[in-house]
Amino acid sequence: MTARPENPHQARILRLLRQDGARSRAELGEVARLSPSKLALELDRLTKLNLLESGGLAASRGGRRSGIVRIASHLRFVGIDIGATSIDVGVTNGELEVLGHLSKPADVRDGPEAVLEQALDLVGKLRTGETTEIHGVGIGVPGPVSFLDRTPVSPPIMPGWDRFPVRETLSREFGCPVLVDNDVNIMALGELHAGLARAVGDFLLVKIGTGVGCGIVVDGEIYRGVTGSAGDIGHIRVSDDGPLCTCGNTGCLEAYFGGAALARDAQAAAEAGESPFLAERLAHEETLTAEDVAAAAASGDAAAVRMIREGGRHVGMVLASLVSFFNPGLVIIGGGVAGLGHALLAEIRSVVYQRSLPLATGNLPIVLSELGDTAGIIGATRLISDHVFSVE
Amino acid sequence: MTARPENPHQARILRLLRQDGARSRAELGEVARLSPSKLALELDRLTKLNLLESGGLAASRGGRRSGIVRIASHLRFVGIDIGATSIDVGVTNGELEVLGHLSKPADVRDGPEAVLEQALDLVGKLRTGETTEIHGVGIGVPGPVSFLDRTPVSPPIMPGWDRFPVRETLSREFGCPVLVDNDVNIMALGELHAGLARAVGDFLLVKIGTGVGCGIVVDGEIYRGVTGSAGDIGHIRVSDDGPLCTCGNTGCLEAYFGGAALARDAQAAAEAGESPFLAERLAHEETLTAEDVAAAAASGDAAAVRMIREGGRHVGMVLASLVSFFNPGLVIIGGGVAGLGHALLAEIRSVVYQRSLPLATGNLPIVLSELGDTAGIIGATRLISDHVFSVE
């Protein structure tokens, strides 16, 4: 059984230590606004629950040296980030520092049993030699997740996952609390916890992977909408006469840009003789990917650079509307395709700054994620640690 | 000096009575979760502050009959709703029931001094014979309002209003607390308080007046964004090659639809001989308005019906994106042009249900406001009463 705090004071202490690491009792009392005797009582209970440990004495601030406390060092959270074409798994301590991280290609269309088994394998490899208990598991999946029962619902690119009991399956396996969310939401939580959004209350995280999605943070919390589908921007219409989308409409953002659209365009450019670089690659590989486009662009291939620019323009057009509507304090661009880098970012910025209201873009930074593929893992452990570090 | 509650219990009691009207002490104690002695103490203090009054005995629930309390009947709030082409003013009691409402055409471009003077005149007419004090004034203006200093900022259609001290001016006049917000936000507050959104936490209010704007409610509170411009959707791009907008871009939503765009299109249709009805009107009037288009459509004029349908389609296209992004529980269409009625609504619904994610539209009602032009007044008094019924 994973121990949980017994009251809101204890929950607040654990969250403070999770965010800021070890602290002296004196500092903690100030931040948590607890009297020394009340603080001592709660710290004592948390120690008895095995959630907290002492760590020597702090430097003197003039009087008696204050004892240092930290989240118990044996605490472990597991974060699992299922993408459309990859699995990332990480183990963190109670401060959500990533202690180990493994990644492998995988196809989410293989279905939940096969994909979760691969994820469990990766966790097993990370835990070799570790005997400590897992205190919570967070997992993100690349499709909509029902807010009420926390299972994937009608996920367009995930046959077999509809209503699959991900939470129960993993909970049985690990014997600890498990929470499931959308992959984009956990990425936004990762940015909120450890990324560029740490000090920002209201921000957007645009994930450009195989598809395109948006994490919405309002006042430091993920905004999920009434049925949990908020931020699902991949099927926003960019144009009436655009490419056919897998959803049946035409001109959706995802039909224009994202990993899948880029692969399609790269193939077409190679076959049409528009890109010597991509044609050369295609001669040696069965299919092309977004990474090939990135390599082509890096080598100066004009067709690849054009694809990235046009993609950035389409993302920018949708984002410009959302910035006018939502007036965020920060926009972070992340996900595998964000690895295309600054050419993409420059194009997105150019369109948003031109098309959104000046009042909404006045002080609006649009930046690339600095967390890379750990954002999802950190976010998944943040999700489950928010739950574990709360009163039952 | 307007009295204010002294502690959070008193504030909660006042807000409960504002929402639900008179209640027995027994009921109030249950809802407010206060012991009878604590409740009696707070009710006594509120009575002494002249914020509360007793109103006889409730029907017996088996034991001793419980006394009824209500917000003091002498309390008055004033709501002022400045539109681009009109002023609405209302006086309410402490339960925000509209006791009197006056409206007149006005041009916001005449500047703050002239417009506020007209608003004060209207308030004066409503108060004739009343000797009671005003306890708070809420006012909405048709442009962005800075969240920090609560003054209008760079309002595109409001020359002279930039940074004008609306709050201080009215506060001096009435000798009571005043709050300013965007006209669309106060309309959304009105719907939240007394309209179709009473039981809905997350909803959008699309106001179609001279321009187009959107009020965003998250968890029962107006979401304003980091600089207060959230919901400013009038300049979202509908198409690259659309009409020139006053903002300098082309193809903005407002350039396609809204009171101003309809007037322009009506004029063009009349002059081109496409609409006998509008041509007839134009022969007797200097300019045409959205009301003329409504009358033409009601008479079966094909050009007018087409204008309304196309307008609905453009609003629907923008709204479809926002519904996918925000996943609201309800969308309310309001504002003067919403008076065009069900042809407009049908077109908006058709586009949103076709273009938004099924998961986001599954249980999504899209409805016309039932409050009409009192929404802004009620919302403005809700804004200021939230402030007056809170601890200083």
Side-chain angles (χ1 to χ4, degrees):
Chain A
M1 263 308 289
T2 300
R4 303 265 298 272
E6 303 160 325
N7 62 45
H9 296 306
Q10 294 178 11
R12 204 159 81 251
I13 290 168
L14 288 171
R15 287 170 182 227
L16 283 168
L17 293 172
R18 176 186 66 178
Q19 190 67 44
D20 301 328
R23 273 184 173 247
S24 74
R25 286 167 175 254
E27 278 181 313
L28 196 57
E30 283 167 23
V31 182
R33 290 186 301 279
L34 289 173
S35 69
S37 60
K38 180 75 180 151
L39 179 71
L41 182 72
E42 301 300 357
L43 295 182
D44 194 45
R45 285 298 306 154
L46 285 170
T47 308
K48 289 215 171 71
L49 289 168
N50 269 325
L51 289 169
L52 199 85
E53 65 187 29
S54 297
L57 294 176
S60 169
R61 295 202 297 180
R64 203 154 60 85
R65 288 168 70 197
S66 174
I68 281 181
V69 289
R70 64 164 64 97
I71 290 183
S73 54
H74 70 95
L75 251 69
R76 293 290 177 274
F77 293 113
V78 167
I80 302 175
D81 184 6
I82 311 276
T85 60
S86 63
I87 302 174
D88 280 87
V89 158
V91 173
T92 74
N93 60 15
E95 293 163 10
L96 312 192
E97 290 168 338
V98 179
L99 306 176
H101 173 193
L102 286 172
S103 184
K104 64 172 286 195
D107 190 338
V108 74
R109 292 171 299 183
D110 290 343
E113 284 93 352
V115 171
L116 292 179
E117 197 181 306
Q118 294 175 70
L120 289 173
D121 272 358
L122 290 181
V123 177
K125 282 183 189 151
L126 280 177
R127 291 184 74 197
T128 307
E130 278 225 72
T131 53
T132 52
E133 172 193 9
I134 301 282
H135 291 77
V137 176
I139 175 167
V141 297
V145 172
S146 159
F147 186 65
L148 289 177
D149 51 11
R150 294 293 187 116
T151 63
V153 281
S154 333
I157 62 164
M158 299 166 64
W161 287 80
D162 189 31
R163 303 273 168 203
F164 186 84
V166 176
R167 187 180 184 176
E168 290 71 15
T169 306
L170 293 181
S171 195
R172 229 176 7 248
E173 195 66 40
F174 288 106
C176 69
V178 176
L179 281 179
V180 190
D181 206 339
N182 176 269
D183 63 333
V184 185
N185 286 345
I186 63 161
M187 195 164 178
L189 279 175
E191 296 291 342
L192 179 69
H193 185 82
L196 293 161
R198 275 190 71 152
V200 183
D202 302 325
F203 72 93
L204 298 181
L205 176 281
V206 179
K207 177 177 179 179
I208 312 177
T210 302
V212 183
C214 183
I216 307 169
V217 175
V218 174
D219 211 11
E221 305 267 349
I222 293 287
Y223 173 79
R224 292 186 170 82
V226 291
T227 58
S229 78
D232 213 336
I233 64 171
H235 301 281
I236 286 183
R237 185 195 70 104
V238 172
S239 160
D240 275 334
D241 50 1
L244 186 67
C245 182
T246 50
C247 76
N249 274 320
T250 52
C252 297
L253 177 56
E254 271 187 22
Y256 277 104
F257 194 57
L262 265 182
R264 175 202 66 204
D265 291 349
Q267 193 94 13
E271 287 166 359
E274 288 166 10
S275 164
F277 186 101
L278 291 172
E280 169 67 21
R281 284 257 169 140
L282 190 56
H284 300 94
E285 296 169 33
E286 241 175 75
T287 54
L288 294 174
T289 67
E291 283 79 51
D292 295 315
V293 178
S299 82
D301 183 85
V305 171
R306 196 196 62 230
M307 281 177 221
I308 294 171
R309 288 252 172 89
E310 284 183 0
R313 192 165 62 82
H314 290 123
V315 173
M317 277 154 61
V318 168
L319 198 48
S321 301
L322 302 183
V323 163
S324 289
F325 173 75
F326 185 71
N327 188 199
L330 171 69
V331 174
I332 303 177
I333 312 289
V337 174
L340 296 174
H342 286 276
L344 177 67
L345 184 65
E347 196 68 29
I348 293 175
R349 281 179 173 158
S350 150
V351 177
V352 174
Y353 291 142
Q354 190 210 328
R355 292 266 7 167
S356 299
L357 282 190
L359 194 60
T361 55
N363 294 306
L364 177 69
I366 304 177
V367 298
L368 292 176
S369 167
E370 292 181 352
L371 293 179
D373 50 12
T374 61
I377 289 170
I378 296 170
T381 59
R382 164 82 182 218
L383 178 73
I384 190 62
S385 64
D386 273 349
H387 173 72
V388 172
F389 292 166
S390 67
V391 182
E392 271 177 282
Chain B
M1 262 311 287
T2 300
R4 304 264 299 272
E6 302 160 327
N7 62 44
H9 297 305
Q10 294 178 11
R12 204 158 81 251
I13 290 168
L14 289 171
R15 287 170 181 225
L16 282 168
L17 293 172
R18 176 186 66 178
Q19 190 67 46
D20 302 326
R23 273 183 174 248
S24 73
R25 287 166 175 255
E27 278 182 314
L28 196 58
E30 282 165 25
V31 181
R33 291 186 299 280
L34 289 174
S35 69
S37 60
K38 180 75 180 152
L39 179 70
L41 181 73
E42 302 300 357
L43 294 182
D44 194 46
R45 284 298 306 153
L46 285 170
T47 308
K48 289 216 171 70
L49 290 167
N50 270 324
L51 291 169
L52 198 85
E53 64 188 28
S54 297
L57 293 177
S60 169
R61 295 201 296 179
R64 203 154 59 86
R65 288 168 69 196
S66 174
I68 282 180
V69 289
R70 64 163 65 96
I71 290 183
S73 55
H74 69 96
L75 251 69
R76 292 292 177 274
F77 293 113
V78 167
I80 303 175
D81 184 8
I82 311 277
T85 60
S86 63
I87 303 174
D88 279 87
V89 160
V91 173
T92 74
N93 61 13
E95 294 162 10
L96 313 191
E97 289 168 338
V98 179
L99 306 176
H101 173 191
L102 286 173
S103 182
K104 65 171 286 193
D107 190 338
V108 74
R109 292 171 299 185
D110 289 344
E113 282 94 353
V115 171
L116 291 179
E117 197 181 307
Q118 294 175 70
L120 290 173
D121 272 358
L122 289 181
V123 177
K125 282 182 190 153
L126 281 177
R127 291 183 74 198
T128 308
E130 279 226 71
T131 54
T132 53
E133 173 193 10
I134 302 280
H135 292 78
V137 176
I139 176 169
V141 297
V145 172
S146 159
F147 186 66
L148 290 177
D149 51 9
R150 295 291 186 116
T151 63
V153 281
S154 333
I157 62 164
M158 298 165 65
W161 287 80
D162 191 30
R163 304 272 167 204
F164 186 85
V166 175
R167 186 180 184 177
E168 291 71 14
T169 305
L170 293 182
S171 194
R172 230 177 5 250
E173 195 66 38
F174 289 104
C176 69
V178 175
L179 280 179
V180 190
D181 206 339
N182 176 271
D183 63 333
V184 185
N185 287 344
I186 64 161
M187 195 165 179
L189 279 176
E191 295 291 342
L192 179 69
H193 185 82
L196 294 161
R198 276 190 71 154
V200 183
D202 302 324
F203 73 93
L204 298 181
L205 176 279
V206 180
K207 177 178 180 179
I208 312 177
T210 302
V212 183
C214 183
I216 306 169
V217 175
V218 175
D219 211 10
E221 305 266 349
I222 294 286
Y223 173 79
R224 293 186 170 82
V226 291
T227 58
S229 78
D232 213 336
I233 64 171
H235 300 282
I236 285 184
R237 185 195 71 105
V238 172
S239 160
D240 275 334
D241 50 0
L244 186 68
C245 182
T246 49
C247 76
N249 275 319
T250 52
C252 297
L253 177 57
E254 272 187 20
Y256 277 103
F257 194 57
L262 266 181
R264 174 201 65 203
D265 292 349
Q267 193 94 13
E271 287 167 359
E274 290 165 9
S275 163
F277 186 101
L278 292 171
E280 169 69 19
R281 284 256 169 143
L282 192 55
H284 300 94
E285 295 169 33
E286 241 174 77
T287 53
L288 295 174
T289 66
E291 284 78 53
D292 295 314
V293 178
S299 83
D301 184 86
V305 172
R306 196 196 64 229
M307 279 177 221
I308 294 171
R309 288 252 172 90
E310 284 183 0
R313 192 164 63 80
H314 290 123
V315 172
M317 277 154 62
V318 169
L319 198 48
S321 302
L322 302 183
V323 164
S324 290
F325 173 75
F326 184 70
N327 187 199
L330 171 68
V331 175
I332 303 176
I333 313 290
V337 173
L340 295 175
H342 287 276
L344 177 67
L345 184 65
E347 196 67 31
I348 293 175
R349 281 179 171 156
S350 150
V351 177
V352 173
Y353 291 143
Q354 189 211 328
R355 293 265 9 166
S356 298
L357 282 190
L359 194 60
T361 56
N363 294 307
L364 177 69
I366 303 176
V367 298
L368 291 176
S369 168
E370 293 181 351
L371 293 179
D373 52 10
T374 61
I377 289 170
I378 297 171
T381 59
R382 163 83 180 217
L383 177 73
I384 191 62
S385 63
D386 273 349
H387 173 72
V388 171
F389 292 165
S390 66
V391 182
E392 268 177 283

